[in-house]
Every structure is written in C-alpha cells, then in structure tokens.
Amino acid sequence: MRFRKVVRRSSTVPRKPPAKPLQPPPDAVAPLHPVLRRWIAESFGWLTQAQELTLPHILAGRSVLLSSPTGSGKTLAGFLGVLDHLVRAHDAGTLGDQIHCIYISPLRALTYDIEKNLTPALRGIGLEEVIRVGVRTGDTTATDRAKLRRRPPHILLTTPESLAILLPQAGWAETLCNVRFVILDELHALAENKRGAHLMLSLERLQRRVGSELVRIGLSATAAPLPLLAEFLVGQGRPCEIVEARMERRRRVEVLSPLRRDPYPPAGYTAQRVMQDIAQIIERNRNVIVFCNTRSSTESIAIRLKTALPELAGKIEAHHASLDRDVRLEVEDRLKQGDLRAVVCSTSLELGVDIGSVDCVVMISTPKGISRALQRIGRSGHSIHTESHGILVATNVNDLMECIVCAEMTRNVQLDAVKPLEKPLDVLAQHLVGMAMEGGFTREDLLKTVRRAFAFRDLAEAELERVLNYLEGGGRSLEKQYRESFGKVMWLDDRLALPSRKVERDYLANVGVIHTEGMVSVILGKRRLGQIEEGFLKRLKLEDI
C-alpha cells in the first residue's frame, strides 16, 4: 500500500471585522478614570469583547473567570480594572508603599513579559514614575529581593512558588495585608496539577491575612467546563462571574505525512523523513514556531533544521526551560522583532508569552490534548482578525491516526475536560509548615482555611490530624524515638508553631511541587547556555553534541 500526503483543513467562518470606531463605545469605558479613557482612545480606539465583558465585574469588585482565545486582549482585560483602582488611589493619596495587586503566572517568562507590556500602559497614562511594578521569581537576585522588601511595588508579578515563600516571612506580612486584586494567568495550566492546589492554598492564607474578599481574576484561553474552573479559582462557597468571549477566528489545521515509498517503518522515530518538508515550510513563511514534546528533540530538530537550511542557520534558534534566562529572552526578543525565521521549542512558548505575529505553527506529533493543540495553533496569527495556521507532523503510522483525530477535534473545538486534583496531602503538609511559620493558627483555623481551597473542600478532620501527626514526629514509626529529629511543627498554647529555625530555612529552600534533579551548568566560552540534569550528563560520551 502506498502512502499519500494526508491533509485535513478546517476553519471557522469568520465574522466580518467591525469597522473601527473613532472612539471607544461610551458604555464600555465610561466608568473608567478619564486618563484611562484617553489612553484607550489613543492606543486602541475601542475595547475587545473580552475587555468589555470583564471590566464591569472587576470595577464592581466581583471575582471573574475570563475564557477567551489567544490574541483577544485577555491580559489587558484583567489589568484595566486594576489600573483604574491604582489611578484613583493615587488621586486620593492612598496609594502608599503597599502591594495592591498580585499577578501570578505558571511561567517565569510570562512575568517578565507582562512587566514589559505594563510599562507602555503606565507611560501612556502618565504614571510610569508613580505606579511601581515589581517581579519576584526564582530568577530575582538577592539585591532585587531586598529592594522589593524595602519599597514594595504596587503590582507584584510572581509565580506560585515565590508567593508561598513570601507569605510566612515577617518582612512581607504588612505589605501583603492590603492586596485587593489577584490575577491568575493561564489558569487551565494550573488546574489539573499540584502547583494549582498549592497556589490555591496560598491564596486562602493570603485571604485570611487580608480579611476582606480578594477580587480573583482568572484568565484562560482554552478550558472546559468553565463552572468547575470558576469554583477552582475562587474556592468553596464564593461567587464567581464567568465571561466567555467567543472570538470567531479563522483556523486552518493540516496534517503532514511524508510523500515517499514506505514512509513509515515499523519502528523508530521518523521525523528526519519530513525534515525537508518542514524546511520548505520555513522557507515559505516569514516566521515559524516548531513545537516538540521534549527538550531533547527540540535541540535535535533545531540542529537538523540548521543543517537543512544552511543559509538560514543564523535565524533558527531553540527555546526551552533548560536554557539560561538571558538566552531565552534574547530568542523571544528576536522572534518578536522579526529577526528569526524559526524557533524550535518544547512547551516554553505554549503559553501567553508575547512573541508578536507568527505565520505558522508546526507540531511534531500531537501535543496529547485538544486544549494544548488549540493553544499552540493560537500562537500563530496572534491578533483578532488574522488566520491561525497549524500543521501536525505525523512521525509514524499510529501518530498519523492520532494527528487526524486531533485535527478534527480541534476544528470542532472539542476541549478536554479539566480534572482538578483531590486532596494532595503532600501539598497540605508543606502549607501546614508555612502556617506554623506565620503563627496564630488553631486546629479550627487550619481546617477552616484549608477547606476553602477547592482541592481540599472535602478534607476530613481525621485526614488533617494524620498529616499533623506526621509533621510533629515523622509518623507513628518514628515519633517515639526521633521526634526531635523529624519534627517539623509543634503546638504552643494550642497554636501551630515551628520547633526550630532550621525547619524555617528548609521550608524556604524547598517549598514547591516541581520535581528537581541535580543540575549541571553548561558553559560555552564565558557564556552560560543553561543547565542539564546530572542523569542526562551521565549518559553522554565524549564528542556527543
């Protein structure tokens, strides 16, 4: 049997782009401060549907979940109401040196991206020197951390792990007491894993410290079912508005299969068979993102494409989480400026990092999920009225069938259902140590606070006691002889407390649920390229590339 190129094209029928009005619709922007209304009129002319529908809820102090396609202005939709609050606080003289809004992203790269995008907005409203934006992630230097503590920003950009580090530290306690808004970007990327459960417990601890209800703003590109995601966002027993901005946008999805005799051998990776086809796609377009499912294949395919396109080798780069931050930022900036023809990446460019306009997205095999496929395809044609173009590359016969199904389900936008974790007790154990650092928690306070988080809404008292007993002495098998060695918490006047400063240091150094291995830095000349795992290094031989 001879194989032929299999192509599945799908597109949604686009609505006719509305004529750009000369000024923003008055009903949408009327409640905003005059300087914001003027800036919107001069910069955009009008608000997108996502922004129009979300803004009233934020201004009214209601938590909201916004689900909207990539390129619909979700980030500005989340920040518009916050900027209005800050501008009015400045006018009233109540801005102070306190954090008013925390923006949380699952990716460090997103926080830096948001910082770059907020600066023009603050400059446009004339408050660039007044409203401060600060970034606190694992990349933040000790010097910058000290500066943030001495003079806190009004908008803090951070990650779930860094927020958990800040909460129990005495130097941040007063600063965090006045937080009003929390923006959670790419919420769907957190909902199904331990990082999401970890973050929601942090928000409940922050909620207890603030006292009044936080305005939680969840931003998600592709997710379902939305009511479940909304409950995950706000916690047990709290209201949440759901905004779904459906932006009709053309989407073209193709499946690529090699046109050769016996294109798929019975076993083995066959991406090399289609390397010339991918090279032709890069030659035909101004800029292309090639998604791989692993970092090793990202590096391999980047090298193969450089070899296949020697005249464009300087304009093809790799991008993944193991690369040094400076290397990643350089690639992102070059892509946004149009200086690169192709970027080969793993999942690092999958979320909302601003990379400008991309002509085409190539996916080596399927991303193992319709939501992720839509997310990746949405990185191309990154504006409201342009077409998204995605190509799924089948690497073997089974993969070919999977690619065809993925393309069909992508056309029908048949999203994977979100399935949040239920009661991850290792996450709970970490937070109980953090609560002991904060001090003042009784057993009743612990149970009440923890149960407000979605993942722990059904936590039984007996389950909480089991975790507390484990933390007090290492469990039944160890507590009698090694309680002093293994104890992480203790009770002092019926309040949870720490037995030593060593536990506090261990908590701050190890908090989080991202599995890490021993890492080795990779240096080329005097330049640090990134890090690789020790286990990977052990498998390398001399002259391996």
Side-chain angles (χ1 to χ4, degrees):
M1 180 183 294
R2 297 185 63 184
F3 284 85
R4 296 184 179 181
K5 185 174 181 180
V6 180
V7 178
R8 290 290 183 270
R9 297 186 179 183
S10 62
S11 63
T12 55
V13 180
R15 293 178 181 174
K16 183 179 179 180
K20 182 177 179 179
L22 297 178
Q23 60 184 13
D27 56 336
V29 299
L32 287 173
H33 191 282
V35 299
L36 279 170
R37 293 204 301 267
R38 183 176 64 251
W39 172 68
I40 290 170
E42 293 172 353
S43 302
F44 309 108
W46 82 103
L47 299 180
T48 66
Q49 183 191 36
Q51 294 159 0
E52 286 186 15
L53 295 176
T54 307
L55 181 60
H57 298 302
I58 300 175
L59 293 178
R62 296 188 292 265
S63 294
V64 59
L65 168 64
L66 168 61
S67 175
S68 182
T70 300
S72 59
K74 286 193 304 298
T75 305
L76 183 57
F79 273 106
L80 263 181
V82 175
L83 292 175
D84 181 81
H85 167 82
L86 294 174
V87 172
R88 294 182 188 278
H90 171 64
D91 289 349
T94 59
L95 198 56
D97 287 336
Q98 295 164 334
I99 299 173
H100 293 253
C101 172
I102 300 178
Y103 167 91
I104 303 168
S105 162
L107 286 180
R108 284 177 291 184
L110 264 179
T111 60
Y112 296 106
D113 192 57
I114 296 299
E115 183 185 28
K116 287 190 295 185
N117 290 334
L118 277 176
T119 301
L122 295 175
R123 188 184 302 121
I125 61 179
L127 294 176
E128 184 182 9
E129 303 298 324
V130 176
I131 298 175
R132 297 188 300 276
V133 179
V135 177
R136 173 61 166 84
T137 71
D139 288 334
T140 307
T141 64
T143 302
D144 289 337
R145 293 177 190 178
K147 290 179 182 178
L148 288 174
R149 184 179 293 190
R150 286 195 301 269
R151 196 178 184 216
H154 303 110
I155 300 175
L156 176 66
L157 313 178
T158 189
T159 59
E161 292 72 28
S162 292
L163 178 61
I165 290 173
L166 299 182
L167 278 172
Q169 295 189 55
W172 287 89
E174 184 178 347
T175 302
L176 293 170
C177 284
N178 289 277
V179 173
R180 175 170 172 77
F181 303 94
V182 177
I183 301 175
L184 281 71
D185 206 352
E186 307 294 351
L187 187 62
H188 59 281
L190 293 166
E192 295 187 293
N193 53 48
K194 289 184 179 181
R195 289 186 79 195
H198 201 285
L199 173 59
M200 293 310 161
L201 275 178
S202 292
L203 292 186
E204 294 305 329
R205 290 165 57 190
L206 177 64
Q207 179 77 70
R208 182 177 182 272
R209 180 175 298 178
V210 170
S212 59
E213 288 290 335
L214 294 168
V215 179
R216 306 191 192 197
I217 304 163
L219 307 178
S220 178
T222 50
L226 292 181
L228 179 63
L229 198 62
E231 189 176 358
F232 173 83
L233 169 67
V234 298
Q236 188 76 352
R238 296 192 185 102
C240 180
E241 303 293 334
I242 297 175
V243 171
E244 188 173 10
R246 291 190 174 277
M247 183 178 65
E248 296 295 343
R249 185 178 175 194
R250 289 189 300 168
R251 186 183 303 111
R252 182 156 54 104
V253 185
E254 297 178 311
V255 175
L256 177 63
S257 175
L259 288 168
R260 295 173 181 84
R261 182 184 297 276
D262 300 325
Y264 291 126
Y269 184 72
T270 60
Q272 182 62 38
R273 299 289 191 98
V274 292
M275 204 54 59
Q276 287 301 321
D277 296 309
I278 298 174
Q280 290 174 15
I281 293 171
I282 293 171
E283 287 181 313
R284 290 197 303 266
N285 293 277
R286 291 173 301 173
N287 38 34
V288 175
I289 296 180
V290 181
F291 280 103
C292 305
N293 290 333
T294 63
R295 284 172 288 178
S296 58
S297 61
T298 296
E299 292 284 354
S300 174
I301 289 176
I303 292 172
R304 292 179 182 184
L305 285 175
K306 285 174 179 281
T307 302
L309 296 168
E311 70 283 0
L312 296 177
K315 294 183 177 293
I316 299 172
E317 297 290 349
H319 187 287
H320 54 75
S322 289
L323 289 171
D324 189 66
R325 176 197 164 208
D326 291 340
V327 177
R328 296 196 310 267
L329 291 179
E330 180 184 345
V331 172
E332 291 165 18
D333 289 340
R334 289 182 65 191
L335 179 61
K336 188 173 181 179
Q337 294 163 6
D339 187 41
L340 293 178
R341 292 291 292 272
V343 173
V344 187
C345 69
S346 54
T347 60
S348 52
L349 293 179
E350 193 173 85
L351 301 180
V353 177
D354 186 6
I355 52 175
S357 178
V358 173
D359 291 346
C360 177
V361 166
V362 175
M363 291 168 278
I364 308 297
S365 189
T366 67
K368 311 306 176 185
I370 306 306
S371 296
R372 298 187 73 175
L374 283 167
Q375 187 83 26
R376 291 181 177 186
I377 294 169
R379 305 305 283 154
S380 67
H382 196 275
S383 63
I384 299 174
H385 299 300
T386 54
E387 179 185 68
S388 294
H389 182 200
I391 300 174
L392 288 156
V393 178
T395 59
N396 55 56
V397 173
N398 293 333
D399 201 25
L400 176 60
M401 298 300 104
E402 191 174 323
C403 285
I404 293 173
V405 172
C406 181
E408 188 67 18
M409 294 182 73
T410 301
R411 179 182 68 83
N412 297 324
V413 196
Q414 294 177 248
L415 301 179
D416 317 293
V418 171
K419 297 178 181 178
L421 287 181
E422 298 286 343
K423 294 188 284 191
L425 297 183
D426 55 337
V427 172
L428 175 60
Q430 286 193 34
H431 277 273
L432 290 175
V433 176
M435 291 172 172
M437 286 178 62
E438 289 184 56
F441 282 90
T442 65
R443 276 181 164 83
E444 183 180 351
D445 293 333
L446 291 174
L447 192 61
K448 182 179 179 182
T449 302
V450 169
R451 279 179 173 173
R452 297 302 293 269
F454 180 83
F456 299 95
R457 64 196 182 282
D458 298 324
L459 184 74
E461 288 187 50
E463 291 172 310
L464 177 62
E465 285 300 322
R466 279 177 52 209
V467 179
L468 285 170
N469 289 338
Y470 169 76
L471 291 173
E472 285 183 79
R476 286 179 296 178
S477 61
L478 298 175
E479 61 183 353
K480 292 181 180 179
Q481 297 180 25
Y482 302 102
R483 191 181 188 93
E484 293 184 3
S485 300
F486 291 98
K488 304 297 183 188
V489 300
M490 60 182 289
W491 291 99
L492 192 61
D493 298 327
D494 294 327
R495 307 278 174 171
L496 197 65
L498 291 184
S500 68
R501 292 296 298 272
K502 178 182 180 300
V503 175
E504 181 177 333
R505 291 193 297 269
D506 289 344
Y507 172 84
L508 294 176
N510 297 287
V511 66
V513 293
I514 300 176
H515 175 70
T516 57
E517 298 182 30
M519 304 296 287
V520 178
S521 293
V522 179
I523 310 294
L524 180 63
K526 294 184 178 181
R527 188 184 187 192
R528 183 177 182 273
L529 295 182
Q531 293 181 310
I532 58 174
E533 293 87 353
E534 285 185 356
F536 178 74
L537 177 66
K538 291 176 181 177
R539 297 195 300 270
L540 296 178
K541 300 184 294 292
L542 285 176
E543 299 183 358
D544 280 351
I545 298 176

